[in-house]
């Protein structure tokens, strides 16, 4: 029996009401900020073929590993504090990998210090995006992606913006500007956000009353490494 596949997305608006598809888990939907498995599935259909090596620099609960295994891609997942045994411990700014080894790189990074993942001293997610150091650290990750990615191959970075206490920080735009220094832009996908802690009647009423917007999407920035 053939397995049921997700929809192959053809537009720049992706809206997945659930985190997972099929009859087996891809990552752990209880993990804070878990990556939608549909995102990984769609990316590897477009930018990899069977047997290719996919690297996830901040692997979280292992969604990328699970999807790649099912789709016959090799995958190495890293995280500063691994959630499970098949995720390797490493800092995304300093991986123990050879140069130009990856066929595709994915990262779903923190976009500020809004989610408490862990107390590791090198966790970028413990730095506010209002601190310039946050973007300096993201640039360190971008350099590492450039180092490990094969020429002419692709990377994708999932990230959101922050609006907090009447201050908006366009994290996605700022990251895009950094990535342009290293990669050729391919496209930006808008990925709808679901299951947010703020997606409650109370927060919607506050958004109306105090005239602000709740976060409704993340950017999926896709770029290519080209020879300069």
């Amino acid at each position: 029996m053939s397995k049921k596949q997700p929809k192959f997305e053809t537009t720049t608006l992706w809206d997945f009401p659930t985190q997972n598809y099929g009859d087996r888990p891809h990552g752990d939907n209880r993990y804070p900020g878990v990556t939608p498995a549909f995102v990984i599935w769609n990316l590897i259909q477009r930018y990899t073929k069977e047997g290719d090596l996919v690297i996830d620099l901040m692997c979280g609960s292992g969604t990328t590993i699970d999807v790649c295994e099912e789709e016959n891609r090799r995958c190495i997942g890293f995280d500063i504090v691994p959630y499970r045994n098949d995720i390797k411990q490493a800092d995304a700014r300093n991986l123990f990998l050879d140069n130009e080894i990856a066929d595709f790189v994915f990262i779903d990074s923190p976009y500020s210090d809004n989610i408490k993942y862990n107390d590791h001293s090198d966790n970028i997610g413990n730095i506010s995006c209002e601190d310039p150091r946050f973007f300096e650290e993201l640039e360190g990750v971008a350099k590492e992606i450039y180092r490990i990615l094969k020429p002419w191959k692709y990377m994708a970075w999932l990230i959101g913006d922050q609006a907090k206490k009447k201050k908006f920080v366009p994290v996605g735009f700022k990251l895009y500007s950094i990535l342009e220094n290293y990669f050729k832009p391919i496209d930006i996908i808008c990925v709808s956000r679901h299951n947010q802690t703020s997606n409650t009647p109370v927060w919607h009423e506050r958004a109306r009353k105090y005239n602000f917007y709740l976060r409704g999407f993340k950017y999926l920035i896709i770029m290519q490494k080209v020879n300069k």
Side-chain angles (χ1 to χ4, degrees):
M1 181 182 294
S2 61
K3 60 186 178 184
K4 185 178 180 181
Q5 300 282 27
K7 174 189 172 188
F8 187 94
E9 299 293 336
T10 54
T11 77
T12 54
L13 176 60
W14 295 3
D15 186 3
F16 310 119
T18 61
Q19 184 271 332
N20 196 29
Y21 61 84
D23 56 4
R24 56 171 287 188
H26 303 92
D28 183 344
N29 57 21
R30 296 167 299 181
Y31 187 83
V34 61
T35 304
F38 299 87
V39 170
I40 306 299
W41 188 90
N42 268 278
L43 288 170
I44 66 172
Q45 304 307 316
R46 282 188 180 269
Y47 300 114
T48 69
K49 60 182 184 302
E50 289 193 6
D52 275 358
L53 177 61
V54 176
I55 306 291
D56 187 331
L57 280 67
M58 296 185 181
C59 200
S61 66
T63 303
T64 304
I65 293 175
D66 294 338
V67 175
C68 284
E69 179 182 329
E70 214 168 51
E71 299 301 318
N72 299 315
R73 272 70 167 175
R74 296 175 293 137
C75 181
I76 305 175
F78 295 97
D79 209 285
I80 197 78
V81 177
Y83 183 73
R84 59 190 214 195
N85 292 335
D86 57 351
I87 299 172
K88 300 181 184 300
Q89 197 284 326
D91 187 322
R93 295 156 290 189
N94 185 26
L95 302 174
F96 44 88
L97 292 174
D98 293 335
N99 296 341
E100 300 185 344
I101 191 175
D103 295 292
F104 181 73
V105 174
F106 174 77
I107 180 169
D108 180 357
S109 75
Y111 54 91
S112 192
D113 60 349
N114 57 313
I115 295 178
K116 186 69 173 179
Y117 292 101
N118 55 68
D119 292 320
H120 196 289
S121 58
D122 293 326
N123 182 7
I124 296 173
N126 291 333
I127 306 172
S128 169
C129 66
E130 296 179 32
D131 183 341
R133 190 164 61 92
F134 178 78
F135 292 99
E136 293 171 5
E137 302 304 337
L138 291 191
E139 181 159 17
V141 177
K143 290 178 180 177
E144 191 66 347
I145 294 173
Y146 186 87
R147 184 185 70 78
I148 65 171
L149 190 62
K150 294 178 180 176
W152 307 108
K153 297 292 186 177
Y154 298 84
M155 57 82 65
W157 196 317
L158 186 64
I159 198 161
D161 294 325
Q162 176 173 282
K164 185 177 180 181
K165 296 181 179 178
K166 298 282 187 180
K167 183 172 183 179
F168 173 64
V169 180
V171 178
F173 285 0
K174 287 174 174 282
L175 175 64
Y176 184 91
S177 295
I178 292 170
L179 294 175
E180 270 192 308
N181 295 324
Y182 301 90
F183 303 97
K184 173 187 172 185
I186 298 299
D187 219 321
I188 298 177
I189 309 294
C190 176
V191 180
S192 294
R193 299 176 61 166
H194 293 273
N195 303 317
Q196 302 298 304
T197 55
S198 59
N199 190 19
T200 64
V202 171
W203 274 104
H204 285 287
E205 177 56 29
R206 288 176 180 171
R208 283 189 290 269
K209 184 176 181 180
Y210 300 109
N211 197 21
F212 66 88
Y213 295 101
L214 300 172
R215 299 298 93 196
F217 70 93
K218 285 186 173 181
Y219 306 92
L220 181 62
I221 302 170
I222 301 170
M223 295 206 175
Q224 183 184 25
K225 177 178 176 178
V226 297
N227 284 338
K228 295 184 177 178

